[in-house]
């Protein structure tokens, strides 16, 4: 079992729709969770961080965390073609290791 | 703004050569993290430096090494390059809280 799992996609949604991206993790002691967006050929850009169970909203983005189910999700409302990118889920595991553990990423395509 | 620069942006080397990549945090962030993003393998944690000391390293062979200087800039050295070292090498900083990591633009290394 991979430490952080994401569906690689591609996930294709029409412009204006809600895109739902999912991530599961294996370390129950994980405390910090992050979503990054990565455009082709570029470095990852932080979208959201979430630390507590529940929802956290920032503009068109909502991160959801369920530690009991070891599940993190990212919702993108009113999807735009410019949202087309790879979305990386990252988890900081238990212990002071410094490292983030990344999923393989989900490719999102928003079609005009 | 990530608060970190990397150099060079691109590099081509041949097998067996050695390479040094550089990372310069802005505003004195003390922690620097290195990651490798090889095609098909996702982002993999390489090294964590804080206050000039190596705090943790990922599952990479000893030919991957680095250091952090008193001004908190960092170098990643890779000896005896292999074809599979071709990747995007990313440096990240955490703005002092050792939590959220922000990535620099990366160095793309091609080994022929």
């Amino acid at each position: 079992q991979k430490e952080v799992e994401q569906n690689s996609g591609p996930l294709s949604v029409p412009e204006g729709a809600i895109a739902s991206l999912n991530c599961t993790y294996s370390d129950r002691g994980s405390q910090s969770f992050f979503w990054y967006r990565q455009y082709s050929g570029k470095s990852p850009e932080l979208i959201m961080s979430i630390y507590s169970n529940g929802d956290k909203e920032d503009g068109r983005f909502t991160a959801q965390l369920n530690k009991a189910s070891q599940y993190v999700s990212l919702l993108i409302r009113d999807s735009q073609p410019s949202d087309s990118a790879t979305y990386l889920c990252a988890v900081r595991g238990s212990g002071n290791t410094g490292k983030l553990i990344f999923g393989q990423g989900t490719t999102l395509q928003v079609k005009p | 703004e990530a608060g970190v620069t990397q150099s060079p942006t691109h590099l081509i080397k041949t097998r067996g050569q050695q390479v040094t990549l550089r990372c310069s945090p802005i505003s004195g962030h003390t922690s620097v993290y290195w990651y490798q993003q090889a095609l098909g393998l996702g982002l993999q944690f390489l090294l964590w430096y804080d206050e000039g000391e190596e705090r943790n390293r990922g599952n990479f062979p000893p030919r991957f090494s680095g250091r952090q200087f008193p001004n908190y800039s960092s170098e990643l050295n890779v000896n005896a390059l292999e074809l599979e070292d071709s990747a995007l090498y990313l440096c990240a900083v955490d703005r002092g809280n050792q939590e959220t990591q922000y990535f620099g633009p990366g160095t793309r290394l091609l080994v022929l």
Side-chain angles (χ1 to χ4, degrees), chain A residues 17-39:
Chain A
I18 295 175
S20 178
L21 305 163
N22 305 313
C23 171
T24 58
Y25 60 95
S26 60
D27 183 353
R28 284 197 168 273
S30 300
Q31 296 296 322
S32 308
F33 307 87
F34 307 90
W35 284 99
Y36 289 84
R37 176 175 62 196
Q38 187 174 26
Y39 293 111

Side-chain angles (χ1 to χ4, degrees), chain B:
Chain B
E1 182 66 36
V4 57
T5 61
Q6 291 186 245
S7 62
T9 56
H10 295 82
L11 206 50
I12 300 175
K13 293 285 188 178
T14 56
R15 273 191 312 173
Q17 285 188 311
Q18 177 265 343
V19 69
T20 297
L21 311 181
R22 294 177 176 82
C23 171
S24 297
I26 299 172
S27 303
H29 303 308
T30 62
S31 277
V32 170
Y33 308 83
W34 286 96
Y35 291 84
Q36 181 198 64
Q37 189 175 33
L39 198 63
L41 292 180
L43 266 154
Q44 303 288 324
F45 169 76
L46 265 167
L47 289 158
W48 171 27
Y49 290 96
D50 181 57
E51 297 282 0
E53 300 285 332
E54 181 181 301
R55 302 297 185 183
N56 194 18
R57 67 178 290 127
N59 189 25
F60 282 84
R63 58 191 186 81
F64 287 83
S65 65
R67 55 180 174 168
Q68 186 178 33
F69 299 97
N71 67 352
Y72 304 120
S73 66
S74 177
E75 284 183 350
L76 174 68
N77 299 292
V78 188
N79 294 322
L81 284 166
E82 300 179 1
L83 297 179
E84 51 265 36
D85 296 334
S86 295
L88 178 65
Y89 288 86
L90 293 158
C91 170
V93 298
D94 64 18
R95 299 185 182 173
N97 62 1
Q98 294 185 1
E99 266 299 327
T100 309
Q101 294 179 15
Y102 299 87
F103 287 90
T107 294
R108 191 164 298 277
L109 172 65
L110 177 62
V111 182
L112 300 176

